[in-house]
Amino acid sequence: MKIRLSPIIILLGISIIIEVFGSIYYLLINNNGGMALAGTFFFLGLMVSIFLGFIEQSIIKNLKISTNKLWIIESIFIMAFSLYFVLTR
């Protein structure tokens, strides 16, 4: 399956890299004082991010939408989601 580059895939890729290092560090290296729970949360977040990446790519493949429209729609979605969290905090 060919991966189409999109803003959500870029953000998921960044989060997957952080979650891999976080889960390895907190599960294997520094697992004292309850930090193994943090490693477990990192690992669960990693699994969710990978799953969301597969779901997003399958939706993109089935819609057959142009790359420009995809970038515009996903960028607006990410900005609206970020603005929502900033304003409700």
Side-chain angles (χ1 to χ4, degrees), residues 4-37:
R4 286 184 59 186
L5 195 61
S6 67
I8 292 178
I9 287 296
I10 292 171
L11 290 178
L12 284 175
I14 293 169
S15 73
I16 286 172
I17 292 170
I18 292 169
E19 289 164 349
V20 164
F21 288 122
S23 64
I24 289 172
Y25 180 74
Y26 287 123
L27 282 174
L28 302 175
I29 298 170
N30 184 17
N31 58 0
N32 299 329
M35 292 310 290
L37 182 62

mmCIF file of all heavy atoms in Angstrom, residues 4-37:
data_model
loop_
_atom_site.group_PDB
_atom_site.id
_atom_site.type_symbol
_atom_site.label_atom_id
_atom_site.label_comp_id
_atom_site.label_asym_id
_atom_site.label_seq_id
_atom_site.Cartn_x
_atom_site.Cartn_y
_atom_site.Cartn_z
ATOM 1 N N ARG A 4 0.095 7.989 0.991
ATOM 2 C CA ARG A 4 -0.046 9.347 0.465
ATOM 3 C C ARG A 4 0.253 10.324 1.587
ATOM 4 O O ARG A 4 -0.290 10.225 2.680
ATOM 5 C CB ARG A 4 -1.458 9.577 -0.064
ATOM 6 C CG ARG A 4 -1.687 8.870 -1.379
ATOM 7 C CD ARG A 4 -3.014 9.150 -1.977
ATOM 8 N NE ARG A 4 -3.231 10.566 -2.221
ATOM 9 C CZ ARG A 4 -4.390 11.066 -2.648
ATOM 10 N NH1 ARG A 4 -5.400 10.254 -2.875
ATOM 11 N NH2 ARG A 4 -4.535 12.348 -2.858
ATOM 12 N N LEU A 5 1.127 11.264 1.303
ATOM 13 C CA LEU A 5 1.534 12.240 2.292
ATOM 14 C C LEU A 5 0.412 13.238 2.539
ATOM 15 O O LEU A 5 -0.178 13.776 1.600
ATOM 16 C CB LEU A 5 2.790 12.964 1.812
ATOM 17 C CG LEU A 5 3.550 13.754 2.843
ATOM 18 C CD1 LEU A 5 4.038 12.837 3.945
ATOM 19 C CD2 LEU A 5 4.716 14.455 2.193
ATOM 20 N N SER A 6 0.097 13.450 3.821
ATOM 21 C CA SER A 6 -0.928 14.400 4.214
ATOM 22 C C SER A 6 -0.541 15.003 5.563
ATOM 23 O O SER A 6 0.334 14.468 6.242
ATOM 24 C CB SER A 6 -2.290 13.701 4.301
ATOM 25 O OG SER A 6 -2.300 12.782 5.359
ATOM 26 N N PRO A 7 -1.156 16.102 5.958
ATOM 27 C CA PRO A 7 -0.806 16.719 7.243
ATOM 28 C C PRO A 7 -1.030 15.796 8.443
ATOM 29 O O PRO A 7 -0.223 15.785 9.374
ATOM 30 C CB PRO A 7 -1.728 17.937 7.324
ATOM 31 C CG PRO A 7 -2.058 18.256 5.922
ATOM 32 C CD PRO A 7 -2.084 16.953 5.199
ATOM 33 N N ILE A 8 -2.076 15.003 8.420
ATOM 34 C CA ILE A 8 -2.334 14.105 9.547
ATOM 35 C C ILE A 8 -1.275 13.009 9.599
ATOM 36 O O ILE A 8 -0.821 12.632 10.688
ATOM 37 C CB ILE A 8 -3.759 13.529 9.461
ATOM 38 C CG1 ILE A 8 -4.774 14.646 9.701
ATOM 39 C CG2 ILE A 8 -3.954 12.407 10.459
ATOM 40 C CD1 ILE A 8 -6.215 14.226 9.599
ATOM 41 N N ILE A 9 -0.841 12.503 8.458
ATOM 42 C CA ILE A 9 0.208 11.487 8.437
ATOM 43 C C ILE A 9 1.520 12.065 8.951
ATOM 44 O O ILE A 9 2.273 11.386 9.656
ATOM 45 C CB ILE A 9 0.373 10.907 7.013
ATOM 46 C CG1 ILE A 9 -0.810 10.013 6.693
ATOM 47 C CG2 ILE A 9 1.662 10.141 6.852
ATOM 48 C CD1 ILE A 9 -0.931 8.786 7.582
ATOM 49 N N ILE A 10 1.809 13.323 8.634
ATOM 50 C CA ILE A 10 3.020 13.961 9.142
ATOM 51 C C ILE A 10 2.960 14.068 10.660
ATOM 52 O O ILE A 10 3.923 13.725 11.363
ATOM 53 C CB ILE A 10 3.220 15.344 8.488
ATOM 54 C CG1 ILE A 10 3.532 15.172 7.006
ATOM 55 C CG2 ILE A 10 4.328 16.125 9.182
ATOM 56 C CD1 ILE A 10 3.535 16.456 6.215
ATOM 57 N N LEU A 11 1.829 14.519 11.209
ATOM 58 C CA LEU A 11 1.683 14.621 12.665
ATOM 59 C C LEU A 11 1.714 13.254 13.334
ATOM 60 O O LEU A 11 2.309 13.094 14.409
ATOM 61 C CB LEU A 11 0.382 15.353 13.020
ATOM 62 C CG LEU A 11 0.343 16.840 12.705
ATOM 63 C CD1 LEU A 11 -1.018 17.417 13.053
ATOM 64 C CD2 LEU A 11 1.434 17.570 13.442
ATOM 65 N N LEU A 12 1.084 12.264 12.715
ATOM 66 C CA LEU A 12 1.127 10.906 13.274
ATOM 67 C C LEU A 12 2.541 10.343 13.232
ATOM 68 O O LEU A 12 2.960 9.644 14.159
ATOM 69 C CB LEU A 12 0.161 9.988 12.532
ATOM 70 C CG LEU A 12 -1.314 10.159 12.855
ATOM 71 C CD1 LEU A 12 -2.160 9.260 11.959
ATOM 72 C CD2 LEU A 12 -1.592 9.860 14.303
ATOM 73 N N GLY A 13 3.288 10.642 12.190
ATOM 74 C CA GLY A 13 4.680 10.184 12.110
ATOM 75 C C GLY A 13 5.538 10.770 13.212
ATOM 76 O O GLY A 13 6.343 10.064 13.834
ATOM 77 N N ILE A 14 5.357 12.057 13.488
ATOM 78 C CA ILE A 14 6.094 12.703 14.584
ATOM 79 C C ILE A 14 5.704 12.092 15.919
ATOM 80 O O ILE A 14 6.569 11.791 16.752
ATOM 81 C CB ILE A 14 5.850 14.225 14.556
ATOM 82 C CG1 ILE A 14 6.483 14.847 13.311
ATOM 83 C CG2 ILE A 14 6.405 14.890 15.819
ATOM 84 C CD1 ILE A 14 6.085 16.275 13.057
ATOM 85 N N SER A 15 4.405 11.877 16.132
ATOM 86 C CA SER A 15 3.972 11.312 17.406
ATOM 87 C C SER A 15 4.423 9.861 17.556
ATOM 88 O O SER A 15 4.760 9.422 18.663
ATOM 89 C CB SER A 15 2.457 11.419 17.555
ATOM 90 O OG SER A 15 1.800 10.498 16.723
ATOM 91 N N ILE A 16 4.473 9.091 16.466
ATOM 92 C CA ILE A 16 4.945 7.710 16.541
ATOM 93 C C ILE A 16 6.412 7.665 16.948
ATOM 94 O O ILE A 16 6.813 6.845 17.780
ATOM 95 C CB ILE A 16 4.698 6.981 15.205
ATOM 96 C CG1 ILE A 16 3.214 6.657 15.051
ATOM 97 C CG2 ILE A 16 5.533 5.710 15.095
ATOM 98 C CD1 ILE A 16 2.820 6.115 13.699
ATOM 99 N N ILE A 17 7.229 8.556 16.402
ATOM 100 C CA ILE A 17 8.643 8.599 16.779
ATOM 101 C C ILE A 17 8.794 8.916 18.262
ATOM 102 O O ILE A 17 9.561 8.258 18.982
ATOM 103 C CB ILE A 17 9.397 9.625 15.909
ATOM 104 C CG1 ILE A 17 9.473 9.132 14.470
ATOM 105 C CG2 ILE A 17 10.796 9.880 16.455
ATOM 106 C CD1 ILE A 17 9.967 10.160 13.493
ATOM 107 N N ILE A 18 8.072 9.907 18.759
ATOM 108 C CA ILE A 18 8.136 10.272 20.180
ATOM 109 C C ILE A 18 7.640 9.123 21.053
ATOM 110 O O ILE A 18 8.235 8.819 22.096
ATOM 111 C CB ILE A 18 7.321 11.561 20.427
ATOM 112 C CG1 ILE A 18 8.003 12.752 19.751
ATOM 113 C CG2 ILE A 18 7.145 11.822 21.928
ATOM 114 C CD1 ILE A 18 7.170 14.002 19.716
ATOM 115 N N GLU A 19 6.560 8.475 20.637
ATOM 116 C CA GLU A 19 5.997 7.390 21.442
ATOM 117 C C GLU A 19 6.885 6.158 21.459
ATOM 118 O O GLU A 19 6.940 5.451 22.478
ATOM 119 C CB GLU A 19 4.600 7.040 20.930
ATOM 120 C CG GLU A 19 3.587 8.122 21.239
ATOM 121 C CD GLU A 19 2.311 8.021 20.434
ATOM 122 O OE1 GLU A 19 2.274 7.239 19.468
ATOM 123 O OE2 GLU A 19 1.360 8.730 20.781
ATOM 124 N N VAL A 20 7.594 5.872 20.373
ATOM 125 C CA VAL A 20 8.522 4.739 20.371
ATOM 126 C C VAL A 20 9.633 4.972 21.387
ATOM 127 O O VAL A 20 9.929 4.113 22.231
ATOM 128 C CB VAL A 20 9.112 4.502 18.960
ATOM 129 C CG1 VAL A 20 10.341 3.616 19.011
ATOM 130 C CG2 VAL A 20 8.074 3.895 18.055
ATOM 131 N N PHE A 21 10.258 6.161 21.343
ATOM 132 C CA PHE A 21 11.331 6.454 22.285
ATOM 133 C C PHE A 21 10.818 6.522 23.723
ATOM 134 O O PHE A 21 11.477 6.038 24.641
ATOM 135 C CB PHE A 21 12.048 7.754 21.901
ATOM 136 C CG PHE A 21 12.907 7.620 20.686
ATOM 137 C CD1 PHE A 21 12.692 8.428 19.586
ATOM 138 C CD2 PHE A 21 13.920 6.680 20.627
ATOM 139 C CE1 PHE A 21 13.486 8.309 18.451
ATOM 140 C CE2 PHE A 21 14.720 6.548 19.502
ATOM 141 C CZ PHE A 21 14.505 7.367 18.411
ATOM 142 N N GLY A 22 9.632 7.110 23.926
ATOM 143 C CA GLY A 22 9.072 7.190 25.272
ATOM 144 C C GLY A 22 8.732 5.832 25.845
ATOM 145 O O GLY A 22 9.008 5.547 27.017
ATOM 146 N N SER A 23 8.152 4.969 25.029
ATOM 147 C CA SER A 23 7.786 3.650 25.540
ATOM 148 C C SER A 23 9.022 2.808 25.834
ATOM 149 O O SER A 23 9.068 2.100 26.839
ATOM 150 C CB SER A 23 6.861 2.928 24.561
ATOM 151 O OG SER A 23 7.519 2.667 23.344
ATOM 152 N N ILE A 24 10.049 2.876 24.985
ATOM 153 C CA ILE A 24 11.279 2.124 25.253
ATOM 154 C C ILE A 24 11.953 2.650 26.510
ATOM 155 O O ILE A 24 12.378 1.872 27.374
ATOM 156 C CB ILE A 24 12.235 2.194 24.042
ATOM 157 C CG1 ILE A 24 11.677 1.374 22.886
ATOM 158 C CG2 ILE A 24 13.631 1.706 24.413
ATOM 159 C CD1 ILE A 24 12.439 1.530 21.591
ATOM 160 N N TYR A 25 12.033 3.963 26.647
ATOM 161 C CA TYR A 25 12.712 4.544 27.804
ATOM 162 C C TYR A 25 11.990 4.213 29.103
ATOM 163 O O TYR A 25 12.609 3.766 30.073
ATOM 164 C CB TYR A 25 12.840 6.060 27.627
ATOM 165 C CG TYR A 25 13.544 6.725 28.795
ATOM 166 C CD1 TYR A 25 14.916 6.578 28.949
ATOM 167 C CD2 TYR A 25 12.846 7.481 29.719
ATOM 168 C CE1 TYR A 25 15.575 7.170 30.008
ATOM 169 C CE2 TYR A 25 13.499 8.073 30.780
ATOM 170 C CZ TYR A 25 14.861 7.919 30.925
ATOM 171 O OH TYR A 25 15.510 8.497 31.988
ATOM 172 N N TYR A 26 10.681 4.427 29.142
ATOM 173 C CA TYR A 26 9.965 4.249 30.400
ATOM 174 C C TYR A 26 9.614 2.789 30.697
ATOM 175 O O TYR A 26 9.372 2.448 31.852
ATOM 176 C CB TYR A 26 8.704 5.097 30.421
ATOM 177 C CG TYR A 26 8.994 6.560 30.601
ATOM 178 C CD1 TYR A 26 8.554 7.491 29.681
ATOM 179 C CD2 TYR A 26 9.732 7.012 31.680
ATOM 180 C CE1 TYR A 26 8.822 8.838 29.832
ATOM 181 C CE2 TYR A 26 10.015 8.347 31.844
ATOM 182 C CZ TYR A 26 9.565 9.258 30.919
ATOM 183 O OH TYR A 26 9.836 10.579 31.081
ATOM 184 N N LEU A 27 9.581 1.927 29.706
ATOM 185 C CA LEU A 27 9.320 0.517 29.984
ATOM 186 C C LEU A 27 10.596 -0.268 30.278
ATOM 187 O O LEU A 27 10.569 -1.217 31.070
ATOM 188 C CB LEU A 27 8.581 -0.139 28.818
ATOM 189 C CG LEU A 27 7.091 0.148 28.729
ATOM 190 C CD1 LEU A 27 6.519 -0.440 27.449
ATOM 191 C CD2 LEU A 27 6.355 -0.384 29.932
ATOM 192 N N LEU A 28 11.706 0.091 29.655
ATOM 193 C CA LEU A 28 12.917 -0.712 29.793
ATOM 194 C C LEU A 28 14.030 -0.053 30.597
ATOM 195 O O LEU A 28 14.775 -0.735 31.288
ATOM 196 C CB LEU A 28 13.450 -1.083 28.399
ATOM 197 C CG LEU A 28 12.478 -1.854 27.508
ATOM 198 C CD1 LEU A 28 13.078 -2.053 26.131
ATOM 199 C CD2 LEU A 28 12.091 -3.170 28.138
ATOM 200 N N ILE A 29 14.168 1.252 30.515
ATOM 201 C CA ILE A 29 15.322 1.919 31.135
ATOM 202 C C ILE A 29 14.963 2.517 32.490
ATOM 203 O O ILE A 29 15.556 2.192 33.506
ATOM 204 C CB ILE A 29 15.891 2.998 30.184
ATOM 205 C CG1 ILE A 29 16.369 2.322 28.899
ATOM 206 C CG2 ILE A 29 17.019 3.770 30.841
ATOM 207 C CD1 ILE A 29 16.730 3.272 27.792
ATOM 208 N N ASN A 30 13.996 3.400 32.533
ATOM 209 C CA ASN A 30 13.638 4.102 33.765
ATOM 210 C C ASN A 30 12.228 3.692 34.180
ATOM 211 O O ASN A 30 11.281 4.450 34.024
ATOM 212 C CB ASN A 30 13.724 5.612 33.538
ATOM 213 C CG ASN A 30 13.470 6.400 34.804
ATOM 214 O OD1 ASN A 30 13.534 5.858 35.899
ATOM 215 N ND2 ASN A 30 13.180 7.680 34.649
ATOM 216 N N ASN A 31 12.099 2.501 34.736
ATOM 217 C CA ASN A 31 10.774 2.031 35.126
ATOM 218 C C ASN A 31 10.599 1.988 36.639
ATOM 219 O O ASN A 31 9.884 1.173 37.175
ATOM 220 C CB ASN A 31 10.491 0.655 34.509
ATOM 221 C CG ASN A 31 11.529 -0.367 34.906
ATOM 222 O OD1 ASN A 31 12.447 -0.059 35.631
ATOM 223 N ND2 ASN A 31 11.368 -1.573 34.402
ATOM 224 N N ASN A 32 11.263 2.891 37.352
ATOM 225 C CA ASN A 32 11.156 2.964 38.808
ATOM 226 C C ASN A 32 10.114 3.990 39.220
ATOM 227 O O ASN A 32 9.897 4.989 38.535
ATOM 228 C CB ASN A 32 12.506 3.343 39.422
ATOM 229 C CG ASN A 32 13.573 2.329 39.101
ATOM 230 O OD1 ASN A 32 13.283 1.150 38.957
ATOM 231 N ND2 ASN A 32 14.812 2.790 38.977
ATOM 232 N N GLY A 33 9.482 3.764 40.342
ATOM 233 C CA GLY A 33 8.562 4.747 40.913
ATOM 234 C C GLY A 33 7.303 4.952 40.102
ATOM 235 O O GLY A 33 6.801 6.063 40.033
ATOM 236 N N GLY A 34 6.800 3.938 39.463
ATOM 237 C CA GLY A 34 5.559 4.054 38.713
ATOM 238 C C GLY A 34 5.712 4.554 37.300
ATOM 239 O O GLY A 34 4.727 4.810 36.619
ATOM 240 N N MET A 35 6.941 4.723 36.834
ATOM 241 C CA MET A 35 7.144 5.231 35.476
ATOM 242 C C MET A 35 6.860 4.169 34.417
ATOM 243 O O MET A 35 6.728 4.494 33.246
ATOM 244 C CB MET A 35 8.563 5.777 35.312
ATOM 245 C CG MET A 35 8.814 7.031 36.125
ATOM 246 S SD MET A 35 7.562 8.313 35.904
ATOM 247 C CE MET A 35 7.874 8.837 34.271
ATOM 248 N N ALA A 36 6.746 2.905 34.822
ATOM 249 C CA ALA A 36 6.367 1.873 33.863
ATOM 250 C C ALA A 36 4.947 2.115 33.364
ATOM 251 O O ALA A 36 4.624 1.766 32.229
ATOM 252 C CB ALA A 36 6.483 0.493 34.489
ATOM 253 N N LEU A 37 4.118 2.730 34.198
ATOM 254 C CA LEU A 37 2.766 3.086 33.753
ATOM 255 C C LEU A 37 2.828 4.132 32.640
ATOM 256 O O LEU A 37 2.071 4.057 31.670
ATOM 257 C CB LEU A 37 1.939 3.601 34.929
ATOM 258 C CG LEU A 37 0.493 3.969 34.641
ATOM 259 C CD1 LEU A 37 -0.274 2.742 34.171
ATOM 260 C CD2 LEU A 37 -0.158 4.557 35.868
#
